[in-house]
Amino acid sequence: MSDATKARKAALRKKLIELAEAQIAAEGLSSLRARGLAKEAGCAVGAIYTHFTDLDALVLEVNGRTFRRLGSSVAASVAAAADQPPRDRLIAMSHAYLHFAAEHAFLWRALFDVEMSADGPVPQWYLDALGGLFSYIAAPLAELFPDMPEHELDLLTRALFSSVHGIVLLGLEKRISGVPLAQIEQMIAQVLSRVQ
Amino acid sequence: MSDATKARKAALRKKLIELAEAQIAAEGLSSLRARGLAKEAGCAVGAIYTHFTDLDALVLEVNGRTFRRLGSSVAASVAAAADQPPRDRLIAMSHAYLHFAAEHAFLWRALFDVEMSADGPVPQWYLDALGGLFSYIAAPLAELFPDMPEHELDLLTRALFSSVHGIVLLGLEKRISGVPLAQIEQMIAQVLSRVQ
DNA sequence: CTATTGGTTGAACGCCGTTCATCAATTAGC
DNA sequence: GCTAATTGATGAACGGCGTTCAACCAATAG
């Protein structure tokens, strides 16, 4: 296969991922349609399936991008708060998580809405990305609780991540108990600053 | 309309709700099919739509039942721990929430998976049921923090509910970070017992 | 006994994701 | 430079979905 052919192939693949991402970002995961995507990309529906085994695989690519951007976003907030006490770093990265979720609401939701339906194993990069987020939390916690056994520290890490995730999830869910961003920030700070 | 006719009508309606509930409980919300339901109920597909505007409305009925049972379950755990200190009551009701979610995984998930897609307003009983759960949490918190302003107490209530919800959600999600029930209990206790 | 009402029927509609025989274009061999 | 082989692209077709609606029928009212 010539370089030009490979390039065209890769270009269509990239275009499909970008268009899918734009569609999800604009109108949500459930608005993604194979036919709509093909029309926008200027190709036939069947072409999608030469690049991805099914639409879920395509969404997984989009989620990969989203997860990496979320990771950088949180990492940047940690770096910016490097000279602050551990509890403030925890709050800073949680607020970064919140703002990412709020600014990219549909893309962020897609992270947790796709996997459930697919029944293949979770890809490794997914677990790695999650592990990365966990490690950002674990570091300040280890400073706060230097005597805590590793196992308990690991559990507390997961517990706090899940707590922040839950607060962001329900806080942004306007249909259930949606509240202003400032109040969600307050809730996160309330829970994290009470961790003694 | 005669009583017999009304009774038959109500019987089919009830049967449809029960069959839908059984299907969701057994294989999840996404496995619910109008045709399958009609076949099980021994009626035509169209009959479903004389009792419910669409399948979402039927699922909403199922969710209503689930929410009421969840409410009683949490209420019972509060009653059983009535003589214990507030923090222990918080932990007891959170564990009740966890065990309900674990035992009725698919029905519990349906509570949060349907509403999102429908675009009508959230029905009042939904908000009432959520308010009920909140009030169970608010009571022990008011004992723990008698001087806290009402607004902040309200925020802390939502924050703690969301935290427990997040821990249960991700803890039960085997595909992401699923862990044994005992560990999820530990995580809940960790977060709640640290609330000072 | 007839007219009317209202729940029930199931074929049909439009949309969906996915497939596959067919096509077209590029590559490899000579 | 020509032919054969390969491979991505095509889009009509398939099966399945939620939902609709003209036709049907059983029960009620006059």
Side-chain angles (χ1 to χ4, degrees):
Chain A
M1 192 187 309
S2 74
D3 285 4
T5 308
K6 270 192 285 189
R8 260 190 301 107
K9 211 179 102 135
L12 178 54
R13 183 186 157 87
K14 194 179 165 194
K15 193 172 189 177
L16 285 171
I17 295 175
E18 278 167 3
L19 287 171
E21 180 179 284
Q23 181 61 38
I24 294 173
E27 303 183 49
L29 177 60
S30 63
S31 79
L32 192 67
R33 306 268 174 270
R35 280 172 239 271
L37 205 55
K39 196 163 194 173
E40 287 189 72
C43 68
V45 262
I48 295 173
Y49 296 87
T50 65
H51 293 273
F52 308 96
T53 61
D54 56 23
L55 278 195
D56 274 354
L58 170 53
V59 174
L60 216 67
E61 290 298 320
V62 174
N63 280 354
R65 286 185 167 209
T66 306
F67 230 138
R68 280 188 290 274
R69 272 188 279 169
L70 171 59
S72 334
S73 195
V74 172
S77 77
V78 177
D83 55 344
Q84 288 177 40
R87 203 183 314 278
D88 292 325
R89 297 212 301 278
L90 280 179
I91 294 177
M93 69 179 78
S94 298
H95 286 182
Y97 187 80
L98 164 64
H99 283 105
F100 185 93
E103 280 167 35
H104 310 92
F106 281 131
L107 287 174
W108 178 71
R109 281 220 63 111
L111 289 179
F112 306 96
D113 285 351
V114 181
E115 296 303 300
M116 330 288 177
S117 56
D119 35 15
V122 178
Q124 190 56 43
W125 61 259
Y126 217 98
L127 301 174
D128 290 347
L130 205 66
L133 288 182
F134 280 170
S135 69
Y136 291 139
I137 301 177
L141 283 180
E143 288 182 45
L144 277 176
F145 308 106
D147 298 331
M148 189 179 280
E150 191 179 346
H151 175 255
E152 199 178 340
L153 199 81
D154 186 62
L155 227 57
L156 184 60
T157 301
R158 284 167 178 272
L160 289 184
F161 174 82
S162 302
S163 295
V164 172
H165 178 78
I167 292 173
V168 172
L169 187 72
L170 296 188
L172 292 180
E173 195 71 54
K174 302 215 186 353
R175 308 186 59 70
I176 293 185
S177 66
V179 288
L181 270 194
Q183 278 195 30
I184 305 178
E185 284 190 1
Q186 239 183 301
M187 288 194 273
I188 293 173
Q190 258 181 340
V191 168
L192 290 182
S193 63
R194 283 177 193 287
V195 171
Q196 301 291 346
Chain B
M1 191 188 311
S2 75
D3 286 1
T5 310
K6 270 193 285 190
R8 259 191 302 107
K9 207 178 103 132
L12 178 54
R13 183 186 156 87
K14 193 178 165 195
K15 193 172 190 178
L16 285 171
I17 294 175
E18 278 167 3
L19 287 171
E21 180 178 284
Q23 180 62 37
I24 294 173
E27 303 183 49
L29 176 60
S30 63
S31 79
L32 193 67
R33 306 265 175 270
R35 281 171 238 269
L37 205 55
K39 196 163 195 175
E40 286 188 72
C43 69
V45 265
I48 295 173
Y49 296 87
T50 67
H51 294 273
F52 308 95
T53 60
D54 55 22
L55 278 194
D56 275 354
L58 171 53
V59 173
L60 217 66
E61 290 298 320
V62 174
N63 281 354
R65 287 186 166 207
T66 306
F67 231 138
R68 279 188 290 276
R69 272 188 279 168
L70 172 59
S72 331
S73 195
V74 171
S77 76
V78 177
D83 54 345
Q84 288 177 40
R87 203 182 314 277
D88 293 326
R89 297 213 301 279
L90 280 179
I91 293 176
M93 69 180 77
S94 298
H95 285 182
Y97 187 80
L98 165 64
H99 283 106
F100 185 93
E103 279 166 36
H104 310 92
F106 282 132
L107 287 174
W108 179 70
R109 282 221 61 113
L111 289 179
F112 306 95
D113 285 351
V114 181
E115 297 301 300
M116 331 287 174
S117 55
D119 35 16
V122 178
Q124 189 56 42
W125 63 258
Y126 218 98
L127 300 174
D128 291 347
L130 205 67
L133 288 181
F134 281 169
S135 69
Y136 291 138
I137 301 177
L141 282 181
E143 289 182 45
L144 277 177
F145 309 105
D147 298 331
M148 189 178 280
E150 192 179 342
H151 175 255
E152 200 178 340
L153 198 82
D154 186 63
L155 228 55
L156 184 60
T157 301
R158 285 168 177 271
L160 289 184
F161 174 83
S162 302
S163 295
V164 172
H165 178 78
I167 292 173
V168 172
L169 187 72
L170 295 188
L172 292 180
E173 195 71 55
K174 301 213 189 355
R175 307 185 58 67
I176 293 184
S177 65
V179 289
L181 270 195
Q183 278 195 30
I184 305 178
E185 284 190 0
Q186 237 182 303
M187 288 194 273
I188 293 173
Q190 257 181 341
V191 168
L192 290 183
S193 63
R194 284 176 192 285
V195 171
Q196 301 293 347

